[in-house]
Amino acid sequence: MTFQENVIFLVEDNDDDAELAVRAFKRARIANPLVRARDGAEALDYLFGRGKYAEKDVSELPTVTLLDLNIP
């Protein structure tokens, strides 16, 4: 298991809240790559390399994960 180089993984179903997070990163000059999942199923697909993420190396994990506490 390795970590993807400074990737931020944002799991957020609300587009407005996701945009607020992106703007906050920009204001703080955080230019790390950002991957967004819109629900729990998509987040698991990303982590386990399923569906549209089937080509992803599952041994590489994001450096930071930001998770909406009320995600469906």
Side-chain angles (χ1 to χ4, degrees):
M1 173 173 54
T2 60
F3 292 97
Q4 289 175 296
E5 190 171 329
N6 302 313
V7 170
I8 298 171
F9 184 38
L10 176 64
V11 184
E12 175 59 67
D13 61 330
N14 183 297
D15 290 334
D16 293 333
D17 290 344
E19 182 59 33
L20 285 173
V22 169
R23 282 192 295 193
F25 295 148
K26 287 180 182 176
R27 264 188 255 124
R29 295 189 177 118
I30 297 171
N32 300 60
L34 177 73
V35 175
R36 178 183 173 204
R38 289 170 165 56
D39 58 36
E42 186 178 351
L44 290 174
D45 284 349
Y46 175 76
L47 293 172
F48 292 111
R50 302 183 300 214
K52 69 180 183 180
Y53 302 105
E55 300 299 318
K56 178 187 168 298
D57 182 356
V58 295
S59 69
E60 293 183 345
L61 299 174
T63 304
V64 175
T65 300
L66 302 173
L67 177 64
D68 179 352
L69 293 178
N70 295 314
I71 198 79

